[in-house]
Amino acid sequence: MANILELLPELEGEEMVFVQGLIKEMTDAHAAQFAAVYRSRRRDPGTVLLLACLGFIGVSGIQRFVLDQIGMGLLYFFTGGICLIGTIVDVVTYKRLAFDYNRSRAIEISGTLRAMA
Amino acid sequence: MPSMPEIIGPSPRPSAFPLWSAFERLASLPIEAMVWIGSLVFLYLVDPASPGRPDLCLFHRLIPGLPCPGCGLGAAIHDLMHGEIGASLRAHPLGAPALLILVARVHTLLRENHEPRRRRGRKESTDGEHS
């Protein structure tokens, strides 16, 4: 029984609940390994918000590149964040953007660990 | 607690009011998907390049005369959705890729919106098999 507050104390809200559900059934060693890999791969929502805010000074779409959305990143970059609409959307929904990315990384990592075990 | 479901309310009523459940599904979409779908519907209905329409580009409003690489994309997407490929290319040559990227993003968002529910269901069923 692994405890999320000891392994990954920086997680909040939805992400914490989701990752707790993933590591609940892991052994302690497994959960520690998962935490180390997950911490190095996840994107901090605060970083996503900061990069989205760059759109207000003319550099748009960096947050989309960071979240592996190359197409959306290019579209944002060359249209000024789709005429600022996209930038505002991302500033409002940055937590959801980061969580969607982090959730797929968490599923990926737990799948790899299970395959190796 | 036998009265619990009554307190929570009749949330699982799939076919009693089809219109209402469709509305509920629409309201559960992520904000991002709503914005993209909304703006594509808007672009279908309204041609941003038609005369008399105010300039949608906020950069032009801030600094008039600024060369903007994205200007004309809205008109190009509008023309494309109405099947006028020549006009679309004239408005902006990258209208088709832009529309494709947006549609792909909406598709990803909708898939992610449905996946967690499906996975939770699968997980419960495997738990049942193990116990």
Side-chain angles (χ1 to χ4, degrees), chain A residues 18 21 25 64 69 71-72 75-76 78-80 82-86 89-90 92-93 96-97 100 103-104 107, chain B residues 30-32 35-36 56-59 62 68-71 73 97-98 101-102 105 109 112-113 116 119 123 127:
Chain A
F18 180 76
E25 292 128 23
R64 297 287 180 156
Q69 300 173 17
M72 288 298 279
L75 190 60
Y76 271 52
F78 288 111
T79 60
I82 316 191
C83 298
L84 279 183
I85 298 166
V89 169
D90 285 5
V92 174
T93 65
R96 161 74 25 195
L97 280 172
D100 283 345
R103 182 175 53 198
S104 2
I107 292 166
Chain B
I31 297 170
E32 206 195 329
V35 171
W36 298 146
L56 289 175
C57 183
L58 294 175
F59 294 106
L62 287 174
C68 168
C71 274
L73 263 183
I101 290 168
L102 280 176
R105 178 67 188 149
L109 282 169
E112 276 175 354
N113 195 37
R119 190 174 305 117
K123 198 151 181 274
D127 283 353

Side-chain angles (χ1 to χ4, degrees), chain B residues 73-114:
Chain B
L73 263 183
I77 289 175
H78 172 86
D79 293 337
L80 203 64
M81 288 199 283
H82 287 269
E84 295 157 25
I85 292 162
S88 167
L89 287 175
R90 248 173 285 126
H92 198 295
L94 293 177
L99 181 60
L100 247 167
I101 290 168
L102 280 176
V103 170
R105 178 67 188 149
V106 168
H107 177 253
T108 313
L109 282 169
L110 296 186
R111 208 185 50 208
E112 276 175 354
N113 195 37
H114 279 276

